[in-house]
Amino acid sequence: MMPSHRPCVGEKAGPESETERALKQEKARQSLSIFLLASVCFANRSDGCCWVGTKTRPVTSRVVSVGTMRVALRPRSGCLVLCLCLSVITLLLQSLWVPLEMTQDEAAGRFPEEQGGHSVGVNKLVLRLDTLSTQVQRLSRERQDTQLNKNALTSLLQSFRQEQQSLSKLLETELQRLSRRLDQLSSQRYRDHKAFMPTPPPGPTEKCEIPTDPAYPACADKTEFLQAHWQSDPCYAFYGVDGTTCSILTYLSQIENFCPPRPGRNHSSLPWLLKTSSNGKKARIRDSLSSLYKSLTNSSSLAIKFIRSRVERMSDRWIKAGRSMKQNGSDADSTEMKVLLYPGALAGKAGQHFEAMVERGGPLGELVQWADLSACLTILGHNLTFSSSQHQLHGLIGAAPGHGGCPIQRPLTFDLIYTDYHGLAHLHGAMGPAFNHYKCRFRILDSFGTEPAFNLASYAQSRGYKTLWGSWGLQPLQYMNMFPHTPDNSFLGFVSEEALRMEPTKDGLEPETYRKERIAVVYGKQDYMWQGKSEYVQIISEELETHGTVYQSSRQSSILPSFVKNHGLLTQEQFLKLLHRAKVFVGLGFPYEGPAPIEAIALGCVFLQPRFDPPHTSDSNNFYKGKPTTRKISSQHPYAEQFIGEPYVLTVDTTNRTAVREAVKSILTTEVKPFTPREFTCVGMLERVHSYITHQNFCSKSVPTWPLESALMVHLGPLGESCVSVCQRSSLWCEPALFHHLNTPAAFTRLGLSCSRMVQEVNHLFPSYNPWGRLCGLQQETLLFSCAGSDPSDRRLCPCSAGQVALCPQCI
């Protein structure tokens, strides 16, 4: 949308196009050099020579030199140059009065009184310049064939100087008048805006002095900052700051808590810190998703339509799983939460890019997770608000108008906010100082995982772990992953979308649903994923009919091998039907760690994937470069390789033709039935999310009490091994919430370790034991308890637990 236009001074109402204004300004710039040359020349000499810099040339010569620029002059061209000068002045004056851009809420012609007073002076300027230009042109035409004599040129120059002085005075007067009018307009806009501001309590009439209270050491610095920058963000004026010390101190004491309370006030009245009363209602499992459908209806977004379509398709399974939980009494101890779901990747410019990718086979794993999370929270009985609008977000959290320099206007009304890294940045930009106060309520859907070493900004900076991600200083368990990338984060997951299973027939034969065709479906919806994989796919096609689901535009020639039957981009329902027929789902190496392989395995496919040797890391792989993780990715889908394995998952060296052929033969001779790990069922996700909401309290300053200490199994790792691998070797899971039980001298004693020295440091490897100096290290910063860290000189003390991935039996 083009910006609205406001008529300038002396201009008839009606928009002037951007092109016309640009042409005027360009002509003015092109003529400026000639104007400067002629002005210097004729203003300094009237004796037939033009003095320019350190060079002189007679007027009768053909060239006047200025630096490296040369302009040819003929004897009769003096008057023509003057005409050019006057024309340039006219263009410059026109460009000076280019209409000011209006904001979207101002209508064109809003101030009709401007169109009179200023136009008189400007018209006088233009009229005088036109008259003088006409006289010079006439004089030039009359003397085309004769050379101007010295007296005529002198007279003309004197006339020009007189007009120049008069025009300068008139121009100065008009500029002063314009400046005064702009000040009036600015004051008027402030008065109009102030009418909508909350009225601050009247301050003392006497001069306000900055208090020197040791309890508020930053008061003076903050006051000095606002005295200089209070106009940098409209939010300060919204809260009553007008540049005076009194208004600034009132703001810093009543809106922010950097200064001591003003007389008769205290910090309990800070509007965004007031506690909201909880409704105290118990969350009851629902047997309908109708309330969620209402939240997802009012949007034309393709991404939102995808989310709603998935929820509707799986609604029966969610309702059935909810009833199963209800029968077990699993919802007895849960309080109804007011929850905001804000996928920031779907908002603003990032949302526009994501929308474009949805139609072209872009990654939909994030949408799968948002769909399942919203259905899960609804079934569990929580009060859900779903938004993908940054503007709507500001209204939902009560953001002050402006650029986020001030806190929100009221207490945050949501008990929990689920968002992503994009949304986290949006919240930080809208909440101002209130962000740190409420960040314990955030839950971040993080597709690649954020390890503690990258999470604490000061530590990441000093130890070389700083990236564009991370550094938010959250509790690591506030990050919620699609797969259990690192136990330091919470495993949220999603639900595998299985087809309806049929019961075996009376004669014991397998139902038609389980029977497979000799079909291989290749995992890769965009053609760049197939590059360099033709030989690998060809070996598979020798035994299996090979199908693809690659997006291709009508103008794009196919790069797929001729033996591949491409269906184009399929809907989710069509894709599942194809997988239902297929014997094998073929990974090409990218995309990494998506939901599709889990769904293929749930439909009875074998997942064949490439092995990465050496493993992909943030140092060696562009996709993981800059990500806040030190993981070593050994295959396209590490979860499928490590937690599911054969016969459902085969991981091979795709450059080894023999290994690929043997893998294909093994698949053809092995019968596998549909398999879904419990953590990817509706019941498994409901149990997990319910436990997180009930027990994870990151706003409490006390030591975590969940999971219970009874779930703890302590293991002392070998040198150079992380707690992730230490626990996995024993078929256990590292539980970071239990680290505090090991962060004591007594824990080393129980393990039979003799410490020559006990140190306490900020180190993501602690608690750990260094055998060379018998050094025992305790963790000083709880945000750095890490299952992932390892070092060749340290033996980690590891808190392990058993049960469902990331959820022990005692945790349910």
Side-chain angles (χ1 to χ4, degrees), residues 715-736:
H715 285 248
L716 179 65
L719 290 172
E721 196 161 322
S722 72
C723 287
V724 175
S725 57
V726 169
C727 295
Q728 281 184 356
R729 189 184 301 110
S730 301
S731 301
L732 301 173
W733 185 251
C734 181
E735 180 50 71

Side-chain angles (χ1 to χ4, degrees), residues 89-364:
I89 294 174
T90 304
L91 289 171
L92 289 174
L93 287 171
Q94 290 175 344
S95 67
L96 283 174
W97 267 270
V98 173
L100 297 174
E101 299 277 45
M102 290 183 61
T103 56
Q104 293 181 357
D105 58 342
E106 293 176 326
R110 180 178 174 182
F111 303 102
E113 67 274 13
E114 293 183 37
Q115 302 177 18
H118 287 223
S119 62
V120 176
V122 178
N123 286 336
K124 285 181 181 179
L125 285 174
V126 176
L127 191 57
R128 283 194 185 189
L129 290 172
D130 288 343
T131 301
L132 184 58
S133 178
T134 302
Q135 291 174 354
V136 174
Q137 292 175 17
R138 186 176 67 249
L139 182 59
S140 177
R141 286 195 302 271
E142 291 173 355
R143 302 193 178 193
Q144 278 184 350
D145 300 325
T146 61
Q147 181 178 346
L148 281 173
N149 59 34
K150 180 177 179 180
N151 292 335
L153 183 58
T154 301
S155 176
L156 185 60
L157 289 174
Q158 289 175 349
S159 174
F160 176 74
R161 289 192 184 103
Q162 292 173 358
E163 288 293 334
Q164 184 185 34
Q165 293 174 357
S166 177
L167 289 172
S168 296
K169 292 180 181 179
L170 185 56
L171 180 60
E172 183 179 0
T173 301
E174 290 304 316
L175 289 176
Q176 290 175 350
R177 183 183 300 178
L178 180 60
S179 178
R180 288 195 300 270
R181 182 55 184 156
L182 288 175
D183 289 340
Q184 292 173 2
L185 292 175
S186 179
S187 300
Q188 180 63 39
R189 290 193 63 171
Y190 173 74
R191 288 193 296 271
D192 292 344
H193 182 63
K194 191 173 181 180
F196 296 96
M197 300 178 195
T199 304
T205 57
E206 69 274 8
K207 182 180 179 180
C208 296
E209 295 186 358
I210 301 174
T212 56
D213 189 333
Y216 301 92
C219 183
D221 290 339
K222 285 290 182 179
T223 303
E224 183 179 351
F225 172 82
L226 282 182
Q227 286 172 337
H229 302 286
W230 71 275
Q231 291 179 308
S232 63
D233 195 325
C235 73
Y236 297 117
F238 174 82
Y239 278 120
V241 176
D242 58 11
T244 62
T245 303
C246 291
S247 67
I248 291 172
L249 290 175
T250 300
Y251 169 81
L252 290 176
S253 65
Q254 296 181 14
I255 304 300
E256 299 192 36
N257 55 352
F258 288 108
C259 291
R262 305 299 304 282
R265 298 280 172 175
N266 58 60
H267 281 315
S268 63
S269 62
L270 291 180
W272 52 276
L273 284 178
L274 295 175
K275 290 185 178 181
T276 55
S277 57
S278 174
N279 58 20
K281 293 172 59 179
K282 292 293 183 181
R284 299 301 180 193
I285 289 181
R286 297 189 178 98
D287 56 5
S288 170
L289 290 167
S290 58
S291 60
L292 176 59
Y293 297 149
K294 294 178 182 178
S295 299
L296 299 175
T297 298
N298 300 324
S299 177
S300 60
S301 163
L302 293 175
I304 302 301
K305 289 180 178 178
F306 176 92
I307 291 173
R308 177 177 173 122
S309 174
R310 179 177 173 89
V311 171
E312 290 177 337
R313 191 166 57 250
M314 299 177 63
S315 61
D316 290 341
R317 292 175 54 203
W318 281 113
I319 293 170
K320 182 179 179 181
R323 289 171 179 166
S324 176
M325 277 193 68
K326 194 172 186 178
Q327 291 173 358
N328 297 333
S330 301
D331 64 334
D333 56 347
S334 181
T335 301
E336 181 180 308
M337 296 284 186
K338 187 173 183 183
V339 183
L340 171 64
L341 265 61
Y342 178 69
L346 303 183
K349 293 183 179 179
Q352 296 173 6
H353 175 72
F354 201 102
E355 285 288 318
M357 294 295 291
V358 170
E359 288 188 307
R360 298 198 294 267
L364 300 178

